[in-house]
Amino acid sequence: MVDLKSQYEEIKEEVNAAIQSVIDDTSFINGPEVKNFALSLAQYTGAKHVIPCANGTDALQIAMMALDFKPGDEVIVPAFTYVATVEVIALLGLIPKFIDVEETTFELKVDQIESLISPKTVAIVPVHLYGQCSNMEAILKTAKKHDLKVIEDTAQAIGAVYTFSDGKKAQAGTMGDIGTTSFFPSKNLGCYGDGGAIFTNDDQLAGKLQMIANHGQRIKYHHASIGVNSRLDTLQAAILNVKLKHLSRYSASRNEVADKYDAAFKDHSNLLIPVRSRSSTHVFHQYTLRLENVDRDAFKVYLAEKGIPSMVYYPIPLHQQEAYLAYGYQAGDFPIAERLCQQVISLPIHTEMKAEEQAYIIETILNYFQ
Ligand SMILES: *Cc1c(COP(=O)(O)O)cnc(C)c1O
């Protein structure tokens, strides 16, 4: 699905030098690279504050802790996303209020938000799934009207740019109260282990997020609140400092691959290509097709036999996952999310995809339908 080895080969000298320098300094925790990376990422994204942490799941949890949500508070979250988004809601004793998603763009259905709002609702968590921004203008407007917080899960969309109707532009993760992201190796900006970050434009919230990520202390051994231990390693920060310089190029390469897939499949009756939002650029964390009248399992087996990996993100919507059945949802509650789980398939897409490799993938896929 991704080719991290070839990507490393391209930047090997820079990365090796950065790693060696951390080892020479032995400042493995909170070394200067961590702060440098936070500042560089703030500059890149336009976020006022970037707080690095251990992974994207922690980023979501710290965000919800910093906003002082109380057990029993309700959080609106798409039924079609990676489990982490919902897991932290449940862990903090909050109640996930699932919402269905758009069939074409996979974002939460903004026209259903208001019907889910109760006196207990505290937040909306849009997920910028597969690499393009949700309808942030509508989400922010509804949140403002009902005094709700917005936490953007930007784990799949770092660098995507959203354009508001007045022409103002902002990057994914910088529009809500808080944005969260992940540097898991296969993410668009991936490190060589685990990593994550939290974005905010609010000075006070930034201090609180930083404090919670560091055992609830602003001053060493003075604990003002219950926190967690969630740090980005210096080694990972050093690697990310190198890779951030290439992120725009990486996004462009992913778009080139996506454009070729689009061109090859756009008029196909069995393969529905991903629809691009008019108000967001796409960074194609995944290139995800919807299969129409195709036995997906058989198609996957065929691809595997031809040496082509494919993945299903995600096979089961969250309201039907065993761990979340206790919230009382049933089959049929979110028909689009449920159908997408049967239909979607993601194809290989990465920054070092060679033209011949992609041509083979396209030809092999088209041959299946001959
Ligand atoms: C990857 C991912 C996360 C979690 O990130 P980790 O760093 O693996 O904890 C959260 N939300 C979404 C949508 C993701 O894709």
Side-chain angles (χ1 to χ4, degrees):
M1 293 297 288
V2 293
D3 183 357
L4 296 175
K5 187 71 197 286
S6 308
Q7 193 190 57
Y8 165 65
E9 294 293 344
E10 281 268 309
I11 54 171
K12 186 172 179 167
E13 271 155 43
E14 276 178 284
V15 169
N16 288 3
I19 292 172
Q20 189 60 53
S21 145
V22 174
I23 297 171
D24 290 342
D25 281 353
T26 68
S27 49
F28 297 115
I29 299 293
N30 289 333
E33 286 81 359
V34 179
K35 193 166 233 169
N36 289 345
F37 171 63
L39 291 172
S40 305
L41 189 59
Q43 201 161 39
Y44 185 89
T45 57
K48 190 161 180 205
H49 303 278
V50 171
I51 295 101
C53 64
N55 57 66
T57 309
D58 275 8
L60 284 159
Q61 180 174 337
I62 295 163
M64 293 187 201
M65 289 171 78
L67 291 168
D68 290 327
F69 299 157
K70 301 279 178 301
D73 286 348
E74 296 175 359
V75 177
I76 297 171
V77 62
F80 186 64
T81 173
Y82 182 56
V83 67
T85 328
V86 175
E87 192 170 42
V88 299
I89 294 171
L91 271 175
L92 293 172
L94 313 172
I95 314 289
K97 297 305 276 185
F98 290 116
I99 186 166
D100 213 348
V101 295
E102 294 290 347
E103 180 151 37
T104 51
T105 53
F106 315 109
E107 67 195 300
L108 66 79
K109 272 186 160 297
V110 292
D111 55 345
Q112 293 186 357
I113 295 174
E114 288 205 310
S115 68
L116 295 173
I117 295 174
S118 84
K120 291 196 158 173
T121 310
V122 289
I124 308 168
V125 184
V127 180
H128 303 320
L129 203 70
Y130 303 149
Q132 73 184 343
C133 296
S134 311
N135 183 345
M136 287 306 293
E137 183 150 340
I139 292 166
L140 292 171
K141 197 169 153 208
T142 309
K144 192 166 181 197
K145 183 170 159 201
H146 298 274
D147 197 21
L148 306 176
K149 301 294 182 191
V150 175
I151 302 169
E152 293 172 70
D153 184 343
T154 312
Q156 301 190 2
I158 195 156
V161 177
Y162 185 83
T163 305
F164 289 87
S165 54
D166 65 2
K168 242 180 57 195
K169 289 178 192 292
Q171 274 201 27
T174 69
M175 295 171 271
D177 296 277
I178 300 180
T180 64
T181 200
S182 163
F183 307 121
F184 186 85
S186 62
K187 297 280 154 88
N188 287 28
L189 178 61
C191 58
Y192 295 173
D194 275 307
I198 312 165
F199 306 113
T200 187
N201 296 323
D202 180 316
D203 298 341
Q204 232 184 331
L205 206 45
K208 202 159 169 194
L209 289 162
Q210 183 74 66
M211 176 180 83
I212 290 169
N214 182 25
H215 295 293
Q217 62 189 349
R218 284 184 214 269
I219 306 163
K220 207 166 170 66
Y221 305 128
H222 293 251
H223 304 278
S225 73
I226 297 173
V228 295
N229 174 23
S230 189
R231 298 183 284 240
L232 180 68
D233 288 358
T234 312
L235 278 169
Q236 301 303 343
I239 293 161
L240 288 164
N241 266 326
V242 172
K243 289 189 73 178
L244 180 59
K245 289 186 242 154
H246 302 277
L247 182 58
S248 296
R249 179 167 67 81
Y250 290 160
S251 300
S253 317
R254 287 173 177 276
N255 269 278
E256 275 175 38
V257 174
D259 288 345
K260 283 189 199 160
Y261 280 141
D262 276 0
F265 305 136
K266 71 176 171 0
D267 297 318
H268 205 285
S269 56
N270 303 106
L271 306 170
L272 303 183
I273 62 173
V275 172
R276 319 265 182 124
S277 151
R278 263 182 294 130
S279 40
S280 175
T281 63
H282 207 315
V283 293
F284 285 101
H285 174 60
Q286 298 299 341
Y287 184 88
T288 303
L289 293 168
R290 282 178 293 142
L291 300 178
E292 194 78 8
N293 305 315
V294 179
D295 177 340
R296 184 173 63 184
D297 291 338
F299 181 56
K300 268 185 85 37
V301 169
Y302 163 81
L303 291 176
E305 280 168 3
K306 301 285 182 187
I308 299 169
S310 63
M311 291 290 285
V312 172
Y313 304 111
Y314 298 94
I316 306 171
L318 287 160
H319 67 288
Q320 294 187 293
Q321 292 283 356
E322 191 180 346
Y324 298 94
L325 291 178
Y327 292 103
Y329 292 98
Q330 283 165 12
D333 283 347
F334 304 103
I336 300 174
E338 290 166 28
R339 190 160 64 244
L340 287 174
C341 287
Q342 307 289 320
Q343 284 187 313
V344 292
I345 190 164
S346 300
L347 301 180
I349 188 162
H350 54 82
T351 57
E352 316 298 322
M353 177 92 92
K354 294 188 184 59
E356 317 84 81
E357 282 170 1
Q358 193 179 5
Y360 171 73
I361 295 170
I362 289 171
E363 189 192 306
T364 308
I365 289 174
L366 292 175
N367 281 343
Y368 183 76
F369 299 98
Q370 291 300 304

